[in-house]
Amino acid sequence: SKQEIDRLALESRIIELYNTFDSVYGAPKIQRELIKQGYYASLKRVSTYMKRLGLRSIITKKYKPGTKNKAPNDKENLMGQDFKTTTPNEKWVMDITYIWTVYDGWTYLASVMDLHSRMIIGYSYQRHMKQEMVLESLRQAVYKTSDTSKVMVQSDLGSQYLSYEVESFLQANEIVHSYSRKGIPQDNAPIEAFHSIIKREKLNRVVLKTYEEAKTVIFKYIEGFYNRKRIQGSIYYKTPYQVH
């Protein structure tokens, strides 16, 4: 019947989009991509078909907020979990995450995100967790920004972010440094979320044998997929590159 033909055609489109975006997208984003192709289907219909096909996004439980101490001494939490912006390069967030490789052991990724566009504007992947990797990620972000005098950047209280070299670099570029309170990852939630996403959608789905292999995977994900292809609900189902 015509109804059956339409159903099979829609399911085919859904499967194609699901595979195109590496099994990452759920029903809301699949629906948005269908609309871009000029094919309208309700979210409920897309969700029903995906369930029947056994297709689902890669999800993880959300972290529930808690409350703890203030930042020590003069390290103030100026951002105060206010992640709203009106323009790019108004507020940044930065953090370091650990990545395991079979032969080279633990490696480290330092990332800087622009909160307005959710774009990763600087990152550095290294074998050792030192302040130089933080500086490299910040240099990339500053290089892409014409005026940094109005930027506020949030980080945790890790020794790399408290180092003299990092603080001096931020001051030289007139960037205001805000600090997360101890034991409250929600103060830096957007970059924590990105590191969770890159692991969930890519790094945890492959066996990373060496540092060099992981470096290539990270580059392809950030530059080839996350920044330029992955639409996000928080920026009205656009890509970070489009917004930035």
Side-chain angles (χ1 to χ4, degrees), residues 200-218:
R200 185 173 75 239
E201 293 185 353
K202 177 53 69 175
L203 303 182
N204 292 347
R205 300 173 65 196
V206 296
V207 177
L208 301 172
K209 295 180 181 179
T210 65
Y211 164 82
E212 293 296 337
E213 183 179 324
K215 187 175 183 179
T216 300
V217 171
I218 291 167

Side-chain angles (χ1 to χ4, degrees), residues 73-84:
N73 305 324
D74 60 335
K75 310 303 182 186
E76 296 183 39
N77 179 26
L78 301 172
M79 196 170 290
Q81 295 188 20
D82 178 11
F83 305 127
K84 294 179 181 178

Side-chain angles (χ1 to χ4, degrees), residues 80-136:
Q81 295 188 20
D82 178 11
F83 305 127
K84 294 179 181 178
T85 59
T86 56
T87 60
N89 299 316
E90 183 181 337
K91 296 176 182 177
W92 297 347
V93 285
M94 56 185 180
D95 193 24
I96 297 173
T97 194
Y98 297 64
I99 296 170
W100 176 256
T101 61
V102 176
Y103 298 119
D104 293 321
W106 288 111
T107 56
Y108 309 92
L109 174 66
S111 310
V112 181
M113 171 190 284
D114 173 66
L115 281 177
H116 186 74
S117 62
R118 292 302 198 266
M119 184 171 174
I120 300 303
I121 54 176
Y123 69 95
S124 177
Y125 177 58
Q126 302 291 338
R127 298 173 186 268
H128 305 288
M129 189 166 56
K130 297 179 180 178
Q131 68 264 18
E132 181 54 39
M133 68 184 302
V134 173
L135 284 169
E136 174 57 28

Side-chain angles (χ1 to χ4, degrees), residues 69-81 94 152-158 160-163 166-168 170-171 175-182 184 187-188:
N69 321 338
K70 296 179 180 179
N73 305 324
D74 60 335
K75 310 303 182 186
E76 296 183 39
N77 179 26
L78 301 172
M79 196 170 290
Q81 295 188 20
M94 56 185 180
M152 176 186 291
V153 65
Q154 180 89 2
S155 78
D156 61 24
L157 295 165
Q160 295 80 14
Y161 292 110
L162 298 178
S163 69
V166 171
E167 296 285 18
S168 297
L170 293 176
Q171 289 176 14
I175 299 173
V176 176
H177 196 173
S178 175
Y179 305 85
S180 300
R181 292 163 292 178
K182 186 176 181 181
I184 306 184
D187 285 346
N188 214 12

